[in-house]
């Protein structure tokens, strides 16, 4: 591998993976080299899988790995080999005139309606090459832009026609909408990938890897997630809850060894001639608390609130009882939406609808919400219950009602506050994070990973 | 030293001959596991053929399969080896009458004769080609992982009374996991990693027809398309390949020739395992009930 520059490329690739947060150790590095020596080199897909098998040990890292692999080992260089074939067609129409655009959109529509991945990949490369080129920009500025290409071709305007085509294929309404959205999202990603590849060709992959690789889904900020990300996150919630629940049960069991069960031990010793080789113990009863969740559902933090509520309810078995309240400036109980076995999507819709009950005046007011809570639902808190408050503590400069919060924290056995904002934004503007944080311990919770850790710690 | 597969392509052909249709990622990783003699950790949702992969590798390479089914509370005695206490007690009692020295008896009762080998030790001591399947490794307690580490990195086991037993011939190790728990970094570092997911429609159709050869092609296509549509919904338990195959068998048994809304409606229970999932499917796919 030496001499061809391949080793340098390999090392740079590993460095980029590490920078993107993948734990790649020296042992894995050596494995990857061994794997590459064992594999035939003529097929890119094989090399990719070989790398993936040795370097990626968690499926949530795979998208990051794929992005970086495409950067360091690009699928094609420049316009690619396939471009020579349709050179004739291109010359008759100068790149990006209105007519070329229209015909390109027709091709795109057909490919999207069919869900033809190969054609879509080709079209994405063509789209960036023709409509995303920005030649003649100053040095240091990239000459390819996925954004420009998206603006000019505007694939999102095709949604209605894709939906119509899917309906004609016998899909139902919701299904067609969802499929169309997903395919468009996928195509957008292809276009972004191709633009990244072209920029990497000009500036070197290291530069692009530093600036353009998105974090993995469990490290993505709740407050900065796009719509497609949110859907993906939502699909992560149940597996996350399941993982947490199994881990908790296992940990409880590991600590379970209670007092000696004398009868069982003696009975078991009969088969070994009265020698008690194995001892049996009585199980310990798990200790469960009641949980009261107070959740800010104003626009800015709504996503965060929904995820956290869903996770808490997915973990319902770990608590004796869970009650949830949403607020903006008024408190509204939402516990009844979380029926056992209820459908995640339905619950999300119900929660969104109930946000209107939580607002009387429409502006977030933590102080009024806390006061209302102690007045109307004060009985929910007791010495057996734990209080969990979710919100960014931005109260529009209103009265903080610290007294009410102190009263609540004093009644509850434990209390925590989860704040979806980065710690450095606390107490800027109208944030009362430190004031509230002195009464109730406040933790930063910006993504699924942090959320998972927090829930595990408090249980 | 055995070479398990000659190349990724060889893996595809030989696995296919045993009825396991591997995609390129699976074949490449299976080939690498053999070539680098490293354990292979296969992760993915239930019912996509993780365990089946190990069985197919065993059949394709003519090796025997040794299986360790993991569960919560699995310990050294169940996974590695155990002394046969009862036999040892009998041996001691039998020697009490005779004038044998205690030290001789003591040496006597810690020999091979009184050793019960469990799957891990069995796999290491075998001289014939062996595939060792450690199934559902995420179900075990964390301590068992420590036990696996020695076995997986050096293919050896230390028994205090007998010394270290090293592998005569390295087995092909497959670990499967449903990812209900994160495995430790140490275990992952020693393994190659493969994430098996639901296959694409084309491959799934091939799998279903290879498992249920009597199924008509058109029906298989409809079935696979329907399963694909179900997987796109937000379900608690998305149908897996195992369920597609079950569904195909059901349709065959009920002599259903056409997968229309009514047929789907009547047999949905085979593929969906939660009441709320069924409700959702019926509503979103407009199946009348």
């Amino acid at each position: 591998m030496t001499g061809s520059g391949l080793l340098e490329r390999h090392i740079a690739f590993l460095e980029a993976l590490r920078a993107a947060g993948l734990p790649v150790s020296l042992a894995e590095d050596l494995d990857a080299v061994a794997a590459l020596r064992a594999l035939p080199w003529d097929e890119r897909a094989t090399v990719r899988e070989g790398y993936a098998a040795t370097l990626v040990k968690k499926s949530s890292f795979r998208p990051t790995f794929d992005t970086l692999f495409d950067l360091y080992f690009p699928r094609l260089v420049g316009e690619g080999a396939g471009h020579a074939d349709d050179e004739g067609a291109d010359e008759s129409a100068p790149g990006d005139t209105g007519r070329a655009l229209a015909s390109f959109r027709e091709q795109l529509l057909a490919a999207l309606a069919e869900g033809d991945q190969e054609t879509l990949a080709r079209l994405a490369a063509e789209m960036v090459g023709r409509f995303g080129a920005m030649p003649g920009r100053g040095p240091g500025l990239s000459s390819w832009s996925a954004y420009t290409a998206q603006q000019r071709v505007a694939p999102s305007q095709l949604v209605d026609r894709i939906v119509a085509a899917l309906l004609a294929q016998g899909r139902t309404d919701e299904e067609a909408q969802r499929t169309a959205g997903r395919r468009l999202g996928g195509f957008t990603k292809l276009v972004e990938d191709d633009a990244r590849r072209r920029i990497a060709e000009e500036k070197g992959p290291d530069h692009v890897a530093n600036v353009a690789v998105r974090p993995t889904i469990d490290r993505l900020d709740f407050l900065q997630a796009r719509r497609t990300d949110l859907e993906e996150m939502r699909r992560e919630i149940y597996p996350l809850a399941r993982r947490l629940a199994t881990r908790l049960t296992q940990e409880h069991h590991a600590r379970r060894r209670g007092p000696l069960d004398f009868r069982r031990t003696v009975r078991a010793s009969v088969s070994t001639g009265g020698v008690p080789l194995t001892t049996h113990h009585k199980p310990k009863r798990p200790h469960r608390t009641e949980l009261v969740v107070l959740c800010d559902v104003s626009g800015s933090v709504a996503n965060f609130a929904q995820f956290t509520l869903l996770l808490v309810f997915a973990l319902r078995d770990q608590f004796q009882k869970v009650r949830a309240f949403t607020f903006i400036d008024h408190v509204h109980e939402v516990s009844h939406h979380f029926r056992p076995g209820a459908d995640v999507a339905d619950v999300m819709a119900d929660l969104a609808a109930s946000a209107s009950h939580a607002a009387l005046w429409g502006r977030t007011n933590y102080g009024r919400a806390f006061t209302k809570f102690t007045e109307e639902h004060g009985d929910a808190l007791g010495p057996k219950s734990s209080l969990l408050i979710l919100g960014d503590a931005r109260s529009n400069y209103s009265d903080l009602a610290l007294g009410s919060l102190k009263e609540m924290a004093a009644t509850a056995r434990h209390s925590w506050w989860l704040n979806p904002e980065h710690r450095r934004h606390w107490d800027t503007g109208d944030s009362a994070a430190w004031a509230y944080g002195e009464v109730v311990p406040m933790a930063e919770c910006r993504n699924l990973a942090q959320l998972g850790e927090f829930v595990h710690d408090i249980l | 030293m055995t070479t398990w597969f000659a190349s990724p392509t060889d893996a595809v052909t030989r696995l296919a001959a045993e009825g396991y249709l591997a995609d390129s990622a699976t074949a490449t990783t299976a080939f690498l596991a053999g070539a680098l003699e490293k354990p292979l950790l296969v992760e993915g949702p239930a019912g996509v053929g993780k365990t089946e992969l190990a069985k197919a590798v065993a059949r394709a390479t003519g090796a025997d399969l040794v299986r360790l089914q993991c569960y919560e509370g699995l310990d050294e005695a169940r996974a590695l080896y155990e002394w046969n206490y009862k036999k040892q007690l009998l041996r001691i009692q039998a020697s009490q009458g005779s004038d044998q020295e205690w030290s001789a008896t003591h040496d006597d009762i810690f020999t091979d004769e009184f050793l019960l080998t469990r799957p891990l030790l069995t796999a290491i001591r075998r001289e014939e080609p062996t595939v060792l399947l450690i199934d559902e490794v995420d179900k075990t307690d964390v301590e068992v992982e420590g036990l696996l580490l020695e076995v997986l990195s050096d293919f050896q086991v230390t028994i205090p009374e007998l010394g270290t037993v090293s592998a005569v011939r390295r087995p092909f190790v497959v670990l499967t996991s449903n990812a209900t728990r994160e495995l430790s970094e140490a275990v992952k570092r020693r393994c190659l990693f493969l994430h098996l997911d639901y296959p694409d429609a084309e491959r799934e159709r091939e799998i279903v027809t290879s498992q249920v050869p009597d199924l008509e092609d058109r029906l298989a296509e409809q079935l696979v398309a329907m399963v694909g549509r179900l997987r796109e919904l937000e379900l608690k338990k998305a149908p897996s390949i195992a369920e597609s195959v079950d569904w195909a068998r059901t349709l065959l048994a009920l002599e259903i020739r056409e997968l229309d809304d009514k047929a789907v409606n009547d047999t949905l229970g085979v593929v969906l395992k939660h009441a709320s999932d069924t409700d959702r499917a019926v509503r979103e796919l407009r199946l009348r009930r």
Side-chain angles (χ1 to χ4, degrees):
Chain A
M1 277 178 66
T2 45
S4 58
L6 208 51
L7 185 60
E8 284 73 39
R9 186 50 65 112
H10 169 79
I11 301 282
F13 178 50
L14 292 192
E15 283 300 323
L17 285 177
R18 285 181 190 138
L22 273 76
V24 180
S25 70
L26 185 61
E28 277 144 354
D29 176 357
L30 294 174
D31 280 348
V33 175
L36 291 179
R37 289 169 67 103
L39 284 171
W41 266 89
D42 50 357
E43 229 181 294
R44 183 165 175 272
T46 315
V47 174
R48 178 198 287 258
E49 292 308 333
Y51 257 130
T54 47
L55 299 178
V56 184
K57 303 291 165 83
K58 202 172 160 188
S59 54
S60 66
F61 289 141
R62 188 60 198 256
T64 314
F65 168 85
D66 280 338
T67 310
L68 286 169
F69 184 85
D70 285 341
L71 278 182
Y72 283 83
F73 304 91
R75 190 170 58 87
L76 39 89
V77 179
E79 290 295 316
H83 191 68
D85 303 340
D86 41 50
E87 202 70 61
D90 274 2
E91 257 166 288
S92 63
D96 52 354
T97 58
R99 216 177 63 211
L101 185 61
S103 92
F104 180 83
R105 290 180 72 173
E106 286 307 314
Q107 286 182 43
L108 182 60
L109 175 63
L112 281 172
E114 281 302 313
D116 180 353
Q117 283 307 315
E118 233 164 84
T119 316
L120 283 176
R122 190 175 56 76
L123 285 176
E126 192 180 334
M127 177 162 145
V128 178
R130 278 168 126 191
F131 306 109
M134 295 185 295
R137 291 182 74 191
L141 294 171
S142 51
S143 47
W144 304 99
S145 162
Y147 179 76
T148 315
Q150 295 278 9
Q151 287 297 307
R152 298 198 52 196
V153 180
S156 51
Q157 288 173 15
L158 296 173
V159 168
D160 293 341
R161 294 172 66 193
I162 302 171
V163 170
L166 286 170
L167 285 176
Q169 287 169 22
R171 305 285 189 110
T172 62
D173 244 355
E174 292 100 346
E175 222 186 338
Q177 292 281 0
R178 194 170 40 237
T179 313
R182 194 169 300 165
R183 286 190 187 159
L184 266 180
F187 183 70
T188 310
K189 193 179 159 296
L190 285 176
V191 172
E192 283 170 3
D193 285 350
D194 195 69
R196 245 196 319 262
R197 173 184 68 79
R198 286 168 194 261
I199 298 169
E201 231 169 73
E202 281 173 5
K203 299 191 165 184
D206 298 344
H207 168 80
V208 184
N210 277 339
V211 295
V213 176
R214 290 167 65 75
T216 53
I217 193 76
D218 58 341
R219 306 259 162 214
L220 204 65
D221 270 21
F222 288 120
L223 303 183
Q224 287 163 17
R226 305 184 203 156
R227 247 191 73 201
T228 46
D229 295 332
L230 288 178
E231 206 176 297
E232 204 175 321
M233 281 180 170
R234 201 157 78 185
R235 256 177 257 135
E236 273 292 303
I237 278 285
Y238 260 97
L240 178 67
R242 211 188 51 206
R243 272 201 300 276
L244 277 172
T246 15
R247 195 163 76 181
L248 289 167
T249 342
Q250 277 170 342
E251 281 169 16
H252 285 160
H253 283 193
R255 273 184 277 142
R256 191 171 53 180
R257 246 171 111 89
L260 186 77
D261 187 339
F262 189 70
R263 279 168 60 95
R264 277 190 71 196
T265 308
V266 169
R267 211 178 306 145
S269 74
V270 171
S271 66
T272 46
V275 186
L277 286 176
T278 46
T279 55
H280 292 268
H281 297 260
K282 287 178 185 147
K284 264 190 185 157
R285 298 285 159 230
H287 169 80
R288 293 181 205 274
T289 53
E290 290 171 14
L291 185 69
V292 176
V293 190
L294 258 175
C295 195
D296 178 1
V297 287
S298 60
S300 56
V301 289
N303 286 333
F304 160 73
Q306 292 190 345
F307 280 115
T308 316
L309 274 183
L310 270 182
L311 184 65
V312 165
F313 272 87
L315 287 168
R316 197 178 29 217
D317 299 347
Q318 305 295 327
F319 303 101
Q320 201 174 55
K321 195 169 148 199
V322 181
R323 286 182 75 179
F325 301 87
T326 54
F327 66 85
I328 291 175
D329 54 39
H330 193 80
V331 177
H332 175 66
E333 177 156 11
V334 292
S335 310
H336 58 277
H337 288 309
F338 298 91
R339 300 169 301 278
D343 191 280
V344 186
D346 286 352
V347 174
M348 296 290 262
D350 287 349
L351 280 182
S354 76
S356 57
H357 297 289
L360 284 182
W361 288 271
R363 283 163 71 88
T364 321
N365 188 328
Y366 279 76
R368 195 184 294 133
F370 291 149
T371 320
K372 279 278 162 212
F373 180 82
T374 42
E375 279 171 18
E376 290 177 15
H377 303 283
D379 55 331
L381 288 172
K384 270 168 75 187
S385 49
S386 302
L387 172 69
L388 178 63
I389 301 175
L390 316 171
D392 58 3
R394 292 193 178 272
S395 193
N396 285 311
Y397 304 105
S398 57
D399 174 29
L400 296 180
L402 283 169
S404 296
L405 186 64
K406 274 188 189 133
E407 192 183 317
M408 287 157 66
T411 328
R413 186 188 168 95
H414 297 290
S415 49
W416 305 274
W417 189 310
L418 288 185
N419 192 330
E421 284 191 323
H422 197 290
R423 204 170 272 273
R424 66 170 170 259
H425 298 307
W426 293 9
D427 253 13
T428 57
D430 60 345
S431 167
W434 295 111
Y436 280 137
E438 276 180 9
V439 182
V440 172
M442 194 176 278
E444 174 189 294
C445 176
R446 289 185 297 135
N447 50 41
L448 285 177
Q450 281 182 337
L451 180 58
E453 272 163 37
F454 173 79
V455 173
H456 178 249
D457 288 347
I458 68 164
L459 278 166
Chain B
M1 198 184 99
T2 355
T3 44
W4 295 89
F5 295 107
S7 68
T9 338
D10 179 50
V12 172
T13 2
R14 280 166 67 191
L15 288 175
E18 295 303 324
Y20 190 90
L21 303 170
D23 59 9
S24 86
T26 312
T28 310
T29 323
F31 159 73
L32 280 178
L36 305 184
E37 297 196 311
K38 294 208 73 147
L40 170 59
L41 170 63
V42 191
E43 209 174 78
V48 289
K50 299 187 294 292
T51 307
E52 215 41 57
L53 174 65
K55 291 186 190 164
V57 169
R59 287 199 302 270
T61 54
D64 284 321
L65 184 78
V66 176
R67 180 172 179 163
L68 172 66
Q69 176 69 49
C70 297
Y71 52 88
E72 205 182 306
L74 178 81
D75 57 1
E76 209 171 41
R78 296 280 154 203
L80 211 49
Y81 70 90
E82 194 174 10
W83 290 107
N84 193 340
Y85 300 121
K86 291 170 195 165
K87 221 170 156 188
Q88 284 174 331
L89 278 175
L90 282 174
R91 179 78 190 74
I92 295 168
Q93 280 168 1
S95 69
Q96 269 169 357
S98 65
D99 48 359
Q100 199 178 11
E101 289 282 317
W102 160 245
S103 60
T105 314
H106 173 267
D107 289 345
D108 240 24
I109 58 171
F110 288 108
T111 53
D112 226 23
E113 192 193 341
F114 300 96
L115 188 69
L116 295 172
T117 60
R118 301 296 184 201
L120 288 182
L121 187 59
T122 311
I124 280 182
R125 296 218 302 181
R126 277 173 55 91
E127 288 170 16
E128 301 82 31
T130 312
V131 173
L132 170 62
L133 167 64
I134 304 177
D135 214 3
E136 305 196 18
V137 67
D138 53 331
K139 294 266 170 22
T140 58
D141 308 317
V142 184
E143 296 83 53
V144 178
E145 281 182 28
L147 187 73
L148 288 175
L149 287 182
E150 189 187 7
V151 180
L152 294 184
S153 57
D154 301 326
F155 291 93
Q156 66 178 37
V157 174
T158 309
I159 303 175
E161 295 87 354
L162 287 183
T164 303
V165 182
S166 299
V168 187
R169 175 175 211 151
R170 287 199 170 192
F172 186 108
V173 187
V174 179
L175 297 97
T176 74
S177 157
N178 288 334
T180 51
R181 172 168 73 83
E182 276 301 326
L183 297 176
S184 72
E185 288 296 322
V187 167
K188 288 186 164 185
R189 200 163 54 234
R190 281 166 178 78
C191 298
L192 297 177
F193 181 82
L194 172 68
H195 183 79
L196 267 190
D197 216 331
Y198 303 120
D200 56 30
E202 180 60 23
R203 205 165 75 84
E204 177 150 30
R205 196 179 53 74
E206 284 172 12
I207 294 171
V208 169
T209 39
S210 79
Q211 298 281 319
V212 192
D214 293 339
L215 196 71
E216 287 168 38
D217 279 350
R218 205 174 56 89
L219 191 56
E221 224 157 88
Q222 287 178 335
L223 185 149
V224 167
M226 184 45 102
V227 169
R229 287 171 69 182
L230 287 173
R231 278 183 200 144
E232 280 183 10
L233 303 177
E234 268 179 49
L235 299 180
K236 277 189 191 156
K237 167 78 182 75
S240 66
I241 304 181
E243 269 129 18
S244 313
V245 173
D246 282 350
W247 205 9
R249 295 216 171 98
T250 311
L251 295 181
L252 208 61
L254 295 176
E255 295 181 358
I256 293 174
R257 292 279 164 72
E258 173 80 37
L259 195 62
D260 52 14
D261 283 1
K262 187 181 173 307
V264 173
N265 215 338
D266 293 344
T267 54
L268 208 54
V270 182
V271 268
L272 297 183
K273 307 288 163 82
H274 287 275
S276 64
D277 283 358
T278 314
D279 289 348
R280 177 158 208 93
V282 167
R283 192 165 27 138
E284 292 230 355
L285 302 181
R286 302 271 163 74
L287 306 167
R288 239 156 296 125
R289 192 148 263 252

